[in-house]
Amino acid sequence: EAGVTQSPTHLIKTRGQQATLRCSPISGHTSVYWYQQALGLGLQFLLWYDEGEERNRGNFPPRFSGRQFPNYSSELNVNALELEDSALYLCASSLGTGGHNEQFFGPGTRLTVL
Amino acid sequence: GQQVMQIPQYQHVQEGEDFTTYCNSSTTLSNIQWYKQRPGGHPVFLIQLVKSGEVKKQKRLTFQFGEAKKNSSLHITATQTTDVGTYFCAGRVTTDSWGKLQFGAGTQVVVTP
């Protein structure tokens, strides 16, 4: 069974540009989560999608947005990139929306903003 | 602000020794999950605790959920070099059905042979 996949692996952008990160969940998983992990820091929750709907959002500005497609894959968009947006962006998926479901993480996208 | 706190932030352990990392929440949690992230890797689920006072073991790892469901601990006995990595706890606030899983900042474990 394939795990969570993310693309691209690395992304280099300049300040002010826009970045699009993609995630494909494990087959059968309907929930997708996005996290930001800055160097040496923990996981900061960004967004949670389930069945195409945004269920919860972390404390990030509106220039961080995303969506979930009918096939449950997801996209994270970051507009007007700032230097501090440089981080590892992790996507995770889980079965349904139950609060007790474990999350399976993808390998992440390393975003570098110059 | 961050509701789930982990201590210590760093843990240097001699191979063969035991150590414990702690997770504390300001609010009651419906469940607590533990994840391990190896250097350069992504977090991998270890275990979930749901019941008050619950204790679960995985070989040399012992996980505990506090009676008040506000704290948890991970105890590793006879540490090995394979235990290197960052251990995260994550909990969901009881009252919020759409509550996000709140991760602690993690305990980074370094093992000295």
Side-chain angles (χ1 to χ4, degrees):
Chain A
E1 178 184 289
V4 176
T5 59
Q6 292 186 244
S7 63
T9 304
H10 295 89
L11 190 57
I12 299 175
K13 295 283 187 178
T14 56
R15 282 182 61 192
Q17 284 189 313
Q18 185 243 359
T20 298
L21 288 62
R22 296 179 177 83
C23 171
S24 291
I26 289 173
S27 178
H29 286 191
T30 61
S31 276
V32 170
Y33 313 81
W34 287 95
Y35 295 90
Q36 182 195 66
Q37 187 173 36
L39 192 62
L41 297 181
L43 297 165
Q44 302 298 316
F45 170 78
L46 272 164
L47 290 158
W48 172 12
Y49 292 97
D50 181 75
E51 299 285 358
E53 300 285 333
E54 183 181 298
R55 298 303 184 192
N56 209 323
R57 181 182 180 85
N59 296 323
F60 281 84
R63 59 190 185 82
F64 286 84
S65 66
R67 55 180 172 166
Q68 187 177 33
F69 299 98
N71 66 353
Y72 303 117
S73 67
S74 178
E75 193 174 88
L76 174 68
N77 294 292
V78 188
N79 294 318
L81 283 166
E82 300 179 2
L83 296 178
E84 53 265 33
D85 296 334
S86 294
L88 179 68
Y89 288 82
L90 291 161
C91 169
S93 73
S94 73
L95 278 168
T97 58
H100 298 133
N101 294 318
E102 69 178 274
Q103 295 186 11
F104 296 81
F105 284 82
T109 292
R110 175 75 60 187
L111 173 63
T112 302
V113 183
L114 303 175
Chain B
Q2 188 155 1
Q3 291 182 272
V4 176
M5 308 295 292
Q6 277 188 261
I7 52 171
Q9 185 177 4
Y10 299 101
Q11 181 78 55
H12 290 254
V13 190
Q14 194 87 20
E15 193 173 13
E17 290 184 341
D18 302 352
F19 77 90
T20 304
T21 175
Y22 300 89
C23 180
N24 299 301
S25 170
S26 55
T27 55
T28 304
L29 302 170
S30 61
N31 60 315
I32 194 94
Q33 297 179 353
W34 285 88
Y35 291 78
K36 176 183 178 181
Q37 184 175 24
R38 294 182 184 274
H42 57 273
V44 175
F45 176 83
L46 292 176
I47 208 158
Q48 175 169 261
L49 304 169
V50 178
K51 300 176 184 176
S52 168
E54 188 171 12
V55 178
K56 287 188 177 180
K57 292 189 176 184
Q58 284 182 351
K59 297 182 180 179
R60 297 178 294 101
L61 279 61
T62 301
F63 304 83
Q64 188 166 7
F65 203 4
E67 294 290 342
K69 301 183 76 173
K70 286 186 175 183
N71 55 72
S72 180
S73 65
L74 160 58
H75 181 78
I76 299 182
T77 58
T79 305
Q80 299 176 359
T81 54
T82 53
D83 295 324
V84 165
T86 301
Y87 293 83
F88 294 98
C89 66
R92 198 180 308 273
V93 175
T94 305
T95 55
D96 192 350
S97 60
W98 291 113
K100 56 186 177 289
L101 200 64
Q102 299 194 38
F103 280 80
T107 294
Q108 185 177 344
V109 176
V110 176
V111 180
T112 307

